[in-house]
Amino acid sequence: MKRAAAQQNAPVIDTISYAGYRFPPDVISYAVWLYYRFPLSLRMVEELLAARGIELTYETVRRWSLKFGLGIARRIRSTTLGRGDKWNLDEVVVTINGKKHWLWRAVDQHGAVLDVLVQSRRDRHAARRLMRKLLKKQGRAPRVLITDKLKSYAAANRDLGINVEHRQHKGLNNRAENSHQPTRVREKVMRRFKSARHLQRFASVHDQVGNLFMYCRYNTNAQQKREARDQAFAAWGRVTCVPMPGPPRRVSSASSCAAFSFGRTSTS
């Protein structure tokens, strides 16, 4: 809860512009949130919006996700004050057009995804590229590095001159291995990824949106769960520059976004 409150007060940079779009910003923000937050296909999002009186096509949802997804992910990352100092690294194979690719992912001890990287190799060069990206994005080396028994991680650390505690054991890396499960679910819904670029772009946004709502799962009672969810909705409203739409609901602080309902909107 303290981490969620700190995230709520962090500065936000690079505002998102919705100028030139026929639909209002709240509709665009809501459609992008549905697509990246839940295991829904583009056509499922189209039907959910149609049930609320918003008539558009799945191609419109796809274009919105491409246009605003990475910008929203960058703003979510910028609102994070700092991640954990214990990094869990793991890689999983993803078959794209009959060719194997490797999705490398780093997760901290709290379960937040630090970064993802899609590569065609599973060797020391690929591990070194992942570590360089992590060091650049995080601005510091980890206190503890946890991986499986793949020797490429240790070789990459030697190449980069990283001298940290490195624990290599399959049983210790469950947090990183479990982080691949949402990607597998989306892979089935989307009927496989179309290209390595498609996977990299989607995973980069999907994981950051998941980080924003991660604290909604950890609670001791229903009241704390509702408060964490309200804080996540308020944070989404700040990074998208649009309040989260919907019926009026209880909020936990004065800084939470004002809620409102959609009206009927059509493409005509």
Side-chain angles (χ1 to χ4, degrees):
M1 297 300 294
K2 292 182 178 179
R3 289 174 60 87
Q7 183 184 31
Q8 190 176 22
N9 298 326
V12 181
I13 59 176
D14 299 333
T15 59
I16 296 178
S17 174
Y18 300 92
Y21 285 86
R22 177 173 53 207
F23 287 87
D26 57 333
V27 173
I28 299 176
S29 172
Y30 186 66
V32 174
W33 176 73
L34 284 176
Y35 180 65
Y36 285 112
R37 180 69 184 98
F38 303 104
L40 302 173
S41 66
L42 295 172
R43 289 173 173 82
M44 292 178 183
V45 176
E46 176 187 357
E47 288 192 24
L48 286 174
L49 294 176
R52 301 196 66 169
I54 306 169
E55 301 295 339
L56 47 76
T57 64
Y58 70 90
E59 177 64 18
T60 301
V61 178
R62 186 187 71 85
R63 291 179 179 271
W64 287 348
S65 65
L66 293 179
K67 173 66 177 180
F68 299 101
L70 290 178
I72 292 173
R74 285 192 296 267
R75 287 171 61 82
I76 293 175
R77 191 187 298 272
S78 70
T79 61
T80 304
L81 294 180
R83 293 300 185 187
D85 57 359
K86 184 185 293 185
W87 296 357
N88 298 261
L89 275 60
D90 192 51
E91 73 288 338
V92 63
V93 64
V94 180
T95 303
I96 303 176
N97 295 328
K99 181 180 179 181
K100 287 186 177 181
H101 292 75
W102 296 92
L103 176 63
W104 299 70
R105 180 180 273 114
V107 183
D108 69 2
Q109 66 266 35
H110 305 293
V113 178
L114 301 176
D115 218 328
V116 293
L117 186 61
V118 180
Q119 304 186 81
S120 59
R121 297 184 297 182
R122 185 175 179 251
D123 54 16
R124 66 186 299 173
H125 301 289
R128 185 172 59 211
R129 186 182 176 193
L130 174 67
M131 288 301 301
R132 282 177 176 170
K133 185 178 182 181
L134 287 171
L135 293 174
K136 180 179 179 181
K137 291 288 185 65
Q138 302 301 317
R140 59 181 173 85
R143 177 178 57 87
V144 179
L145 191 65
I146 301 177
T147 67
D148 54 19
K149 294 185 178 181
L150 183 67
K151 297 181 179 180
S152 300
Y153 292 110
N157 290 342
R158 289 194 299 267
D159 294 344
L160 297 175
I162 300 176
N163 186 18
V164 298
E165 180 183 354
H166 186 190
R167 305 173 186 172
Q168 286 186 290
H169 192 278
K170 185 176 180 62
L172 296 176
N173 210 29
N174 287 338
R175 189 175 293 275
E177 293 175 355
N178 291 340
S179 66
H180 299 308
Q181 294 179 4
T183 305
R184 289 300 194 191
V185 174
R186 294 307 298 264
E187 182 182 19
K188 292 181 179 180
V189 172
M190 302 168 68
R191 299 182 180 179
R192 294 188 178 272
F193 296 99
K194 306 303 184 293
S195 64
R197 181 182 179 185
H198 179 209
L199 174 57
Q200 177 69 52
R201 183 175 58 238
F202 176 83
S204 298
V205 182
H206 177 265
D207 288 348
Q208 291 304 313
V209 175
N211 288 346
L212 193 63
F213 291 86
M214 177 180 61
Y215 305 102
C216 301
R217 301 196 304 264
Y218 307 116
N219 57 86
T220 56
N221 53 50
Q223 177 68 21
Q224 290 186 356
K225 181 177 181 180
R226 285 191 290 266
E227 290 177 356
R229 187 165 52 208
D230 288 336
Q231 291 177 359
F233 283 143
W236 175 264
R238 284 191 300 276
V239 298
T240 59
C241 306
V242 180
M244 173 63 73
R249 61 178 182 274
R250 177 196 53 79
V251 294
S252 58
S253 64
S255 60
S256 298
C257 296
F260 53 90
S261 302
F262 281 131
R264 177 166 293 276
T265 306
S266 63
T267 56
S268 59

